[in-house]
Structures are given as structure tokens and as C-alpha cells.
Amino acid sequence: MTIEHTLHQFRAAGRVEVDFSTAYARRELILGGAVTLLMLILTIATIPGSLADLADAELSAGRRALAAAVILLFLVAVLIMVPLVVLAVRRLIGASPGLVLTTDGVRVARQAGPLRPAVSWSTIRDIEIQRSSRGQLMVALVGEAKTTSVPIGLAHDAQELHDLLESARLISTGPRRP
């Protein structure tokens, strides 16, 4: 969808969602799936030995506690990865947008989580294009108290997102006075 189509949808409905790019979501899914599979294999390989150590009455309490800690560590790692893979699938199918614009404000997604609370248009002083620590261009919503970063990997590049946000703010609040 082009910026013009997105703005037209925003004008008509007062709300628009910007999804993550398919390439970004696919890469996120592949990496998350690979890490989850690796953690699952390591968990399956480690737990039987750790359970045997846990049940062995001849081992010291410290060794049995270590076995319990290993089991818990791997299970927690797998439990953390599963929601991240589900989120990656949702982003791939377009069910978890990276940016939601409404006439009231903006909601942006966390890199590994759901949307942040809305940032009101009236609290946004400026919309800037900045360079991330990895050297990628990104858009930042500069407010009175804090700056909110728009996630990298959306369906539009940084300049298009900047223009989209500026236009949406103008549509929602009217012209800015200096």
C-alpha cells in the first residue's frame, strides 16, 4: 500500500494500521523458530539426565539443586520463545500491526511485544528521522517527556513513515503554530 492509499484510508476511517514488511516478519519468524527449535532440542536432551540427577538420593543437595535449576532454565527459555514465535506469525499474516494511527494519536509496537499505549498528537512536539545504533534510519516521535521510536521493519521506509506521520498529525490536529 502506498502512502497516498494509507492517508486516504486514514482520512476516510480516522484510523489506519501499518503492518511490518513481509521480509522483516519472515526473517523474525525464521530466527525465532530456529532459536525455539534449538532450545527445545537442548531441553529434551538435557532434562532426562537432570531428572535422573534430581532423583539420585546419593548426590549432594547442591548438585540436585543445580539439576533443578538447569531444568527450570531450559523450560523458561522455551516458554519465552513460544510467544515470540506466535507474535512473528501474527506479524507475518498482518494480525499484529507495527503502527496504528488514529485521530487521537499513535500507537507503536514494541520489537518483541504488543502495542505501546497511545501517544496523543498533542504531546508530540516533533517527528524526526534518526539513525539507530545499527546505522538504520528510523522515525522517532519526540514528546515533552519522552521519545518514542517507531519500529524498524515496517512496510514503509523511514522517510515515507515520517511523511505519513506528519500528514496524519496535520489531518488530526490542524496546522501547527510555532
Side-chain angles (χ1 to χ4, degrees):
M1 185 182 315
T2 66
I3 294 297
E4 290 78 28
H5 288 106
T6 306
L7 277 174
H8 177 71
Q9 185 179 355
F10 181 71
R11 281 188 190 102
R15 174 187 169 89
V16 70
E17 295 178 355
V18 178
D19 291 328
F20 284 88
S21 72
T22 303
Y24 177 84
R26 188 176 295 129
R27 185 185 73 210
E28 196 176 58
L29 178 60
I30 290 169
L31 289 173
V35 169
T36 303
L37 184 62
L38 177 65
M39 291 305 299
L40 192 59
I41 289 169
L42 287 172
T43 301
I44 291 169
T46 304
I47 285 185
S50 296
L51 284 174
D53 287 348
L54 197 57
D56 189 356
E58 294 179 9
L59 290 178
S60 69
R63 175 77 192 259
R64 290 191 355 231
L66 181 62
V70 166
I71 292 170
L72 187 62
L73 175 73
F74 279 110
L75 289 177
V76 167
V78 169
L79 290 176
I80 288 172
M81 290 306 299
V82 170
L84 294 178
V85 170
V86 169
L87 180 63
V89 169
R90 289 177 50 82
R91 286 180 176 173
L92 186 62
I93 63 173
S96 183
L99 182 68
V100 177
L101 305 176
T102 66
T103 53
D104 297 326
V106 183
R107 294 186 72 190
V108 297
R110 295 175 174 97
Q111 283 304 121
L115 292 169
R116 291 183 178 129
V119 178
S120 170
W121 290 115
S122 62
T123 62
I124 299 173
R125 281 186 318 168
D126 197 15
I127 300 170
E128 299 176 349
I129 296 178
Q130 299 175 348
R131 193 163 296 279
S132 72
S133 58
R134 293 183 180 171
Q136 296 171 308
L137 292 178
M138 58 182 264
V139 178
L141 307 171
V142 180
E144 299 296 326
K146 69 177 190 170
T147 299
T148 304
S149 298
V150 175
I152 295 171
L154 295 178
H156 301 291
D157 67 23
Q159 186 60 54
E160 290 173 332
L161 286 171
H162 177 271
D163 295 345
L164 173 65
L165 286 162
E166 285 287 2
S167 297
R169 178 169 67 171
L170 185 64
I171 291 167
S172 297
T173 63
R176 303 269 302 169
R177 295 184 183 97

